[in-house]
Amino acid sequence: MTQIPRAAVIGDPISHSLSPKLHGHWLRRYGLAGEYTALHVNKDDLQQTLRDLPGQGFVGANITLPHKVRVLDYADHVSDRATLIGAANTLIFKEDGGIYADNTDGYGFIANLRQGAPDWDPKAGPAAIFGAGGAARAIIVGLADAGVPEIFLSNRTRLKADGLKAEFGARIKVVDWVKAGAMLANATTVINSTSLGMTGAQDFKVSLEALRPDAVVTDIVYNPLQTEFLKQAAAKGCRTVDGLGMLLHQGVPGFERWFGKRPEVDEETRRAVLS
Ligand code: ATR
């Protein structure tokens, strides 16, 4: 008897994760035999859990906070993208028992922008990124891959932005947080990668006065879907793309590898995940 393929999202905490809804929706939609669950695993149990899962029919997993960096130590093969970003969000358990670690966050970010703003041209001008945490790393790699010529980066803790510049190179220009609004003057792609504006977090207070109306603006915050940041950008005439799509698109490569079908991200997917 062949077991149905199983996958899971692993994190600590995990109950808030939307991934089980996303993958469950795709499994039903395509009539595929498979199972996707959420596993609450703390850092001390992570390595052993990953070694045990293949024997229980698991073909892979998504990894979320706080394990995305740590999991690289437990993988047998790490993709170039995951190495560059310094974190993994997607694991594939290979038939020989090896664990392959990949990172699809940068892909998800770019795929969301391309879908939400089909005429977005990454080469049209500089990008401006607010925030320099884990999400910013994946976004920088995605933008550089897409051919963005220059990236302005501003973070409350400047040292973290300087660290990303040291790592990712000359294309990055660090701007002091108190002057963050000024980096918008030339930017044609603008991203909030901080947690500001999320339900329960502080408001995004940097002035968007200098924002160009031809900029494409996106937010990694998707709770609420229409953040104040996006509302202000839309009021300036900018094309805006909400952050939910990044989460949906980052799930595509994993689902395809585990269950054998490349899934669609569309209105139906969004509704299923938000229901
Ligand atoms: P992750 O690695 O998951 O992205 P993080 O490292 O805590 O999480 O990043 C959150 C981002 O939101 C950071 O850029 C953080 O700025 P700091 O590096 O200065 O902490 C930013 N952020 C969170 N709260 C903020 C606030 N009140 N004002 C400005 N930036 C804030």
Side-chain angles (χ1 to χ4, degrees):
M1 192 190 87
T2 48
Q3 216 171 359
I4 65 164
R6 304 173 76 187
V9 58
I10 296 174
D12 178 19
I14 199 59
S15 57
H16 65 285
S17 173
L18 293 177
S19 292
K21 270 191 176 176
L22 173 64
H23 291 272
H25 161 73
W26 280 333
L27 285 168
R28 281 190 303 280
R29 178 168 174 175
Y30 300 114
L32 297 170
E35 184 189 291
Y36 188 104
T37 49
L39 293 178
H40 183 195
V41 178
N42 67 41
K43 71 176 181 2
D44 297 328
D45 295 334
L46 181 63
Q47 185 170 22
Q48 190 56 46
T49 301
L50 294 177
R51 290 293 158 203
D52 291 344
L53 288 178
Q56 298 163 22
F58 282 83
V59 291
N62 284 124
I63 300 295
T64 188
L65 301 178
H67 303 320
K68 286 179 156 190
V69 176
R70 179 176 299 116
V71 74
L72 294 181
D73 291 339
Y74 307 145
D76 303 290
H77 316 273
V78 179
S79 73
D80 290 348
R81 288 186 302 187
T83 302
L84 207 57
I85 295 169
N89 71 334
T90 303
L91 303 182
I92 291 148
F93 302 146
K94 305 191 0 164
E95 300 210 336
D96 65 6
I99 298 175
Y100 176 78
D102 194 5
N103 193 313
T104 66
D105 285 331
Y107 161 81
F109 173 78
I110 297 292
N112 183 39
L113 269 190
R114 291 203 188 282
Q115 186 176 44
D119 46 9
W120 174 61
D121 176 8
K123 300 189 174 81
I129 306 178
F130 298 98
R137 299 178 67 89
I139 290 168
I140 288 169
V141 170
L143 288 173
D145 256 8
V148 166
E150 195 177 15
I151 298 173
F152 291 99
L153 183 63
S154 188
N155 194 50
R156 174 181 59 178
T157 311
R158 182 174 168 127
L159 212 58
K160 274 162 79 177
D162 289 337
L164 292 183
K165 178 183 171 61
E167 223 178 308
F168 293 111
R171 200 183 314 214
I172 297 181
K173 305 275 184 311
V174 176
V175 176
D176 272 339
W177 186 246
V178 287
K179 298 186 197 135
M183 65 181 178
L184 299 172
N186 295 314
T188 53
T189 309
V190 176
I191 303 112
N192 174 36
S193 82
T194 73
S195 48
L196 294 171
M198 193 189 294
T199 304
Q202 290 180 35
D203 297 336
F204 185 96
K205 292 202 191 85
V206 177
S207 166
L208 300 187
E209 192 63 42
L211 194 59
R212 294 162 52 126
D214 61 348
V216 171
V217 180
T218 189
D219 200 329
I220 65 155
V221 173
Y222 56 80
N223 177 21
L225 274 179
Q226 288 306 316
T227 59
E228 286 304 320
F229 176 77
L230 291 180
K231 283 186 195 166
Q232 279 187 52
K236 281 256 174 193
C238 296
R239 187 78 185 249
T240 64
V241 181
D242 72 49
L244 181 64
M246 179 176 174
L247 172 84
L248 307 181
H249 282 283
Q250 64 75 35
V252 168
F255 187 92
E256 183 178 24
R257 289 293 294 269
W258 305 322
F259 303 118
K261 161 87 192 164
R262 192 164 184 88
E264 294 281 318
V265 173
D266 56 13
E267 227 6 83
E268 190 185 331
T269 321
R270 289 173 65 90
R271 273 199 307 273
V273 168
L274 292 173
S275 69

